[in-house]
């Protein structure tokens, strides 16, 4: 674990702007904007999660806000991410709408969901959203190395996060290195391969060796590298399981076996098939 970027308890990462993001979070992509999402968020917070990841495009920010209030956990103890939907024009106006739906005064992290229309046009609006206090930190998602370089050439405030599809099977090594070079934290979405990677023989073998579950091995592979991770589940017992990541360690051999599962060729791209082009 890179000790310079994690907090003393090993459970959060210090971002380049000084803010801290808990390494384990709950993702709510494809969770319906109703009881399903409210309960998942409430359970996660009751179980000790302090990091929830939503997006304007998910349509469930209102339920995330309701889950937060129902949990009774003070808002300031929870790291909340939402994402600017780049089909819209104005990141500032959309941030304001997100805050209304969430029922909070600020989000901890506001990121461009994908570089539709190019990687730079929305950034001044993201900087303004931060300036106005709507977001503590700003960043991007689904940006490849070339997108990041273009953005960094024009940004006044650099992005502190790039959230991408990342797992042993999508081990985008060159993209990770580009992020590290520019003090951008890579954050992993779909860390379980939306469930597909849980059937892997290699992952199952390593899990057995440690008396752990396949999900915990896939998530530990990220957090041990100080990569924040946001598995999605709507089942209370799985939400609990996915946060038990800090009481075991993968060996160098385990990590090497998992690294070898990569199917991207160590790419610096964020996605093999961008959906917005
Ligand atoms: P469910 O929501 O029904 O629990 P990812 O985070 O990579 O997108 O993966 C999410 C998928 O993996 C969902 O289908 C989720 O199902 C499933 N999942 C999440 N956590 C676990 C777990 N600990 N064990 C088995 N399946 C899980």
């Amino acid at each position: 674990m890179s000790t310079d970027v994690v907090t003393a308890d090993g459970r959060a990462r210090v971002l380049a702007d000084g803010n801290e993001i808990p390494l384990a979070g709950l993702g709510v992509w494809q969770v319906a904007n109703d009881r399903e999402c409210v309960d998942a968020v409430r359970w996660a917070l009751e179980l000790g999660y302090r990091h929830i990841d939503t997006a304007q495009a998910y349509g469930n920010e209102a339920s995330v806000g309701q889950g937060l209030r129902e949990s009774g956990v003070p808002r300031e103890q929870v790291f909340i991410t939402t994402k600017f939907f780049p089909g819209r024009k104005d990141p500032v106006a959309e941030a304001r709408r997100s805050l209304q739906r969430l029922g909070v005064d600020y989000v901890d992290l506001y990121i461009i969901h994908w570089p539709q229309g190019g990687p730079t046009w929305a950034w001044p609006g993201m900087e303004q959203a931060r300036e106005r206090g709507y977001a503590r930190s700003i960043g991007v998602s689904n940006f490849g190395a070339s997108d990041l370089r273009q953005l960094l050439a024009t940004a006044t405030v650099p992005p502190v996060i790039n959230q991408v599809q990342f797992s042993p099977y999508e081990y985008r090594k060159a993209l990770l290195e580009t992020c590290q070079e520019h003090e951008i934290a890579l954050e992993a979405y779909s860390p379980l391969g939306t469930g597909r990677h849980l059937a892997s023989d290699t992952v199952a073998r390593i899990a057995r060796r440690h008396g752990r579950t396949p999900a915990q091995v896939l998530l530990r592979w990220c957090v041990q590298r100080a990569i924040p991770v946001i598995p999605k589940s709507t089942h209370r017992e799985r939400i609990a399981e996915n946060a038990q990541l800090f009481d075991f360690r993968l060996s160098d051999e385990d990590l090497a076996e998992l690294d070898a599962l990569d199917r991207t060729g160590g790419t610096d791209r964020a996605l093999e098939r961008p959906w917005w082009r």
Side-chain angles (χ1 to χ4, degrees):
M1 176 113 50
S2 344
T3 46
D4 53 336
V5 292
V6 295
T7 50
D9 66 2
R11 287 169 179 253
R13 176 166 179 147
V14 184
L15 299 171
D17 61 12
N19 294 329
E20 293 175 9
I21 181 169
L23 288 173
L26 176 76
V28 294
W29 179 44
Q30 290 182 331
V31 182
N33 188 37
D34 57 22
R35 252 300 123 194
E36 188 179 52
C37 184
V38 176
D39 284 345
V41 169
R42 180 170 55 83
W43 289 332
L45 294 171
E46 286 170 4
L47 290 162
Y49 282 69
R50 291 295 179 266
H51 174 184
I52 309 289
D53 182 282
T54 182
Q56 291 162 358
Y58 301 170
N60 57 17
E61 291 171 309
S63 296
V64 168
Q66 195 181 329
L68 170 66
R69 289 186 295 280
E70 286 188 12
S71 76
V73 175
R75 187 271 165 266
E76 63 277 9
Q77 290 183 17
V78 184
F79 190 99
I80 301 174
T81 298
T82 197
K83 312 188 188 80
F84 170 61
F85 170 58
R88 298 278 185 167
K89 297 273 176 285
D90 181 356
V92 175
E94 299 307 327
R96 216 180 289 119
R97 292 193 181 103
S98 280
L99 297 182
Q100 274 165 7
R101 287 187 292 263
L102 285 158
V104 297
D105 297 334
Y106 65 93
V107 289
D108 295 272
L109 178 64
Y110 189 38
I111 60 189
I112 301 176
H113 208 152
W114 59 82
Q116 182 174 320
T120 58
W121 70 268
W123 195 251
M126 300 296 287
E127 290 177 336
Q128 249 183 62
R130 177 179 169 278
E131 188 71 26
R132 292 194 189 188
Y134 298 162
R136 295 267 158 99
S137 294
I138 49 175
V140 295
S141 181
N142 295 302
F143 274 45
S146 149
D147 299 317
L148 290 175
R149 280 192 284 270
Q150 290 175 62
L151 175 56
L152 289 164
T154 63
T156 307
V157 177
V160 294
I161 285 226
N162 184 21
Q163 187 188 108
V164 297
Q165 181 203 44
F166 199 78
S167 79
Y169 286 89
E170 290 97 9
Y171 181 24
R172 307 175 187 282
K173 199 154 186 280
L175 181 55
L176 178 63
E177 285 164 3
T178 301
C179 288
Q180 283 164 344
E181 203 179 301
H182 297 288
E183 292 193 306
I184 297 169
L186 185 146
E187 181 179 17
Y189 77 68
S190 298
L192 310 176
T194 61
R196 290 186 315 277
H197 303 339
L198 294 168
S200 156
D201 290 339
T202 304
V203 175
R205 192 171 57 247
I206 296 171
R208 273 196 302 278
R209 225 182 268 159
H210 289 272
R212 292 290 170 152
T213 67
Q216 289 168 331
V217 167
L218 288 166
L219 299 172
R220 179 71 202 180
W221 180 84
C222 287
V223 301
Q224 201 160 312
R225 291 197 159 95
I227 293 174
V229 74
I230 45 164
K232 171 262 174 186
S233 179
T234 50
H235 293 91
R236 192 184 168 109
E237 65 288 355
R238 290 177 176 172
I239 294 172
E241 176 187 326
N242 294 347
Q244 300 308 308
L245 306 176
F246 300 98
D247 53 353
F248 76 110
R249 266 194 86 75
L250 297 171
S251 68
D252 290 347
E253 294 74 36
D254 298 330
L255 291 173
E257 266 184 70
L258 292 164
D259 292 356
L261 295 173
D262 174 49
R263 289 187 302 219
T264 72
T267 186
D268 70 356
R269 293 158 56 116
L271 281 167
E272 284 54 60
R273 285 180 301 279
W275 60 83
W276 58 91
R277 287 199 187 119

